[in-house]
Amino acid sequence: MDYPNHITNHEKGKHLRYEDYILIELRLKDGWTANAIAKKELHCSPNTVRNIIKKGMTPLYNGKVLRFRAKTAWKAYQKNRSHSCRHYDVLEKRPFLQYVEKHFKEDGWSLDACAGRALLDGAFSREEILCTKSLYNYVDLGLICVKNIDLPQKLRRKTKKSRCRQQKKILGRSIEERPSEVNKRAEFGHWETDLVVGSKSGEDNVLLTLLERKTRQLKGIRLPDKRAESVIAAFQSIRDSLGDHFSDVFKTITTDNGSEFAKLSELEQSCHTKVYFAHPYSSWEKGSIENHNGLIRRFLRKGRRMDSYSADDILAVELWANALPRKILGYQTPDEAFEAEMDAIYAA
């Protein structure tokens, strides 16, 4: 039996309407299967039709017979739909949210660091916390005392237009020659380095930054200027302090082709450390130190003279960055990971 006057225009991916439930009931009376109804009439998944049929089975004749009724299935759908809404656990998770607000404002932790470190330290169980994505959703909804403007990476600057420059000189061994094991970050002792400049007008101090790729340990050294002689002198001072262990701690150094690093290759003459230079205008090849320079810029503002900051100011920034729990380290801090590696070197 056909029903030529029945018209249904079900849209794929949308919930079925009450008219579709009626159609299912009619086609079942005609002896159609769930697969046939889904394919020929509703153009939806057969499992959708089977689930509706299951919910709409109604006992008749004192429970002796079960028949599908569209009205029963529709009532079950409406009841389930009324419970389908987003729930927020602000009150239930209030202790954890206070923990997040405290460390975010006082210690400068990221929301992800708060969530991961809370589990690592055992301060909260999995059921008592919110995941990182939920925390950022709570910020958008205003359910936590953190605003989007407080998140340094949320409002990102537009990237600059790419410019093709091929004339810059490469100062030493290319990064293409660097061992592939360095990219895996499984071995300790591979560093990236860069300069953080304050004011570009007049003579000013600069900050030499070094980052160990595996542990994310950051070191900052104030230099009187950005000349190549000042940079190599800083590395020679580090070499003197580490003695015979320098080549164990500094296996490789990766930097850019700035003129300030023109003499860095001289380190290879007195130790086993290898120095590699990224391609010109390819700062992404040493992205770890670039990202950490962004962390430093939260405190040492661009355009302000570097000599206006005291040694304690710079040390405070370094200590903060190295005490920041990192997801990539299993929410350990760089200090904890670095100390473990150094203990292994001196114990060998």
Side-chain angles (χ1 to χ4, degrees):
M1 179 177 179
D2 292 327
Y3 301 91
N5 295 325
H6 181 81
I7 299 176
T8 177
N9 295 315
H10 171 65
E11 185 177 350
K12 186 176 181 180
K14 299 293 184 180
H15 288 249
L16 297 181
R17 302 166 297 174
Y18 182 61
E19 291 82 357
D20 300 319
Y21 282 61
I22 294 294
L23 180 60
I24 292 175
E25 182 176 351
L26 293 175
R27 292 310 186 195
L28 286 175
K29 289 181 179 179
D30 292 341
W32 286 34
T33 64
N35 283 359
I37 297 173
K39 182 178 180 180
K40 297 181 180 180
E41 294 286 358
L42 300 180
H43 307 290
C44 66
S45 169
N47 281 336
T48 300
V49 177
R50 293 191 190 97
N51 290 335
I52 292 174
I53 294 174
K54 182 178 180 180
K55 294 175 183 177
M57 297 306 290
T58 306
L60 302 175
Y61 306 110
N62 296 323
K64 297 180 180 179
V65 178
L66 287 177
R67 297 264 177 86
F68 176 79
R69 290 289 181 263
K71 186 179 294 186
T72 302
W74 184 252
K75 286 182 178 179
Y77 164 78
Q78 289 182 314
K79 181 179 179 181
N80 293 336
R81 189 66 174 166
S82 66
H83 297 153
S84 176
C85 61
R86 184 176 294 175
H87 300 280
Y88 301 104
D89 298 331
V90 178
L91 297 179
E92 293 82 353
K93 306 294 176 64
R94 190 58 197 161
F96 171 69
L97 294 178
Q98 291 174 339
Y99 171 91
V100 172
E101 293 167 3
K102 176 181 180 297
H103 286 289
F104 180 86
K105 294 179 178 180
E106 297 181 7
D107 301 324
W109 290 9
S110 67
L111 298 183
D112 179 69
C114 293
R117 191 69 184 195
L119 285 177
L120 184 65
D121 291 342
F124 296 90
S125 65
R126 176 70 66 177
E127 294 73 22
E128 294 173 330
I129 73 165
L130 295 168
C131 68
T132 301
K133 181 174 177 58
S134 294
L135 284 175
Y136 279 100
N137 289 339
Y138 275 37
V139 171
D140 291 335
L141 295 168
L143 300 177
I144 183 174
C145 296
V146 176
K147 298 180 180 178
N148 279 317
I149 195 66
D150 299 326
L151 302 173
Q153 298 297 324
K154 191 71 177 286
L155 307 175
R156 303 195 64 169
R157 293 173 292 182
K158 294 182 179 179
T159 57
K160 298 178 181 178
K161 292 182 179 179
S162 60
R163 292 177 292 178
C164 182
R165 300 181 185 178
Q166 302 294 335
Q167 73 275 17
K168 191 162 185 178
K169 180 181 178 181
I170 297 178
L171 300 176
R173 186 181 288 105
S174 171
I175 194 173
E176 295 179 358
E177 302 177 41
R178 193 175 69 176
S180 58
E181 290 76 12
V182 179
N183 295 327
K184 300 177 182 179
R185 300 179 187 266
E187 184 182 31
F188 175 77
H190 302 287
W191 295 74
E192 297 177 5
T193 185
D194 200 5
L195 281 187
V196 175
V197 181
S199 174
K200 294 184 179 180
S201 59
E203 291 293 329
D204 187 20
N205 295 165
V206 296
L207 186 66
L208 176 67
T209 56
L210 301 94
L211 183 91
E212 202 286 314
R213 287 173 55 84
K214 180 181 179 182
T215 63
R216 273 66 172 187
Q217 178 78 359
L218 178 68
K219 294 187 180 297
I221 304 173
R222 188 203 293 269
L223 303 181
D225 50 54
K226 58 182 296 184
R227 295 184 301 118
E229 291 78 9
S230 299
V231 173
I232 191 64
F235 277 95
Q236 289 172 347
S237 177
I238 297 173
R239 185 190 60 189
D240 293 340
S241 65
L242 291 174
D244 296 337
H245 293 292
F246 179 78
S247 296
D248 297 323
V249 178
F250 286 82
K251 294 183 175 71
T252 68
I253 300 173
T254 302
T255 186
D256 55 38
N257 287 275
S259 59
E260 60 271 17
F261 299 113
K263 295 189 175 183
L264 197 57
S265 295
E266 294 179 6
L267 283 176
E268 298 182 356
Q269 301 173 8
S270 56
C271 60
H272 299 294
T273 302
K274 300 298 181 183
V275 180
Y276 299 93
F277 292 86
H279 293 102
Y281 308 103
S282 301
S283 59
W284 55 269
E285 292 181 333
K286 54 182 185 66
S288 294
I289 190 64
E290 297 290 349
N291 287 335
H292 281 72
N293 287 347
L295 294 179
I296 293 174
R297 284 298 187 189
R298 296 186 189 181
F299 304 92
L300 310 183
R301 292 183 297 173
K302 185 177 291 187
R304 182 173 175 178
R305 293 185 62 83
M306 194 64 66
D307 56 17
S308 66
Y309 297 102
S310 68
D312 290 339
D313 293 335
I314 294 176
L315 179 61
V317 176
E318 179 181 328
L319 292 176
W320 170 80
N322 291 329
L324 187 65
R326 309 295 176 88
K327 181 178 181 179
I328 197 70
L329 300 176
Y331 295 103
Q332 280 188 312
T333 66
D335 268 339
E336 294 169 344
F338 186 79
E339 288 176 7
E341 295 289 349
M342 292 297 291
D343 289 343
I345 289 176
Y346 281 100

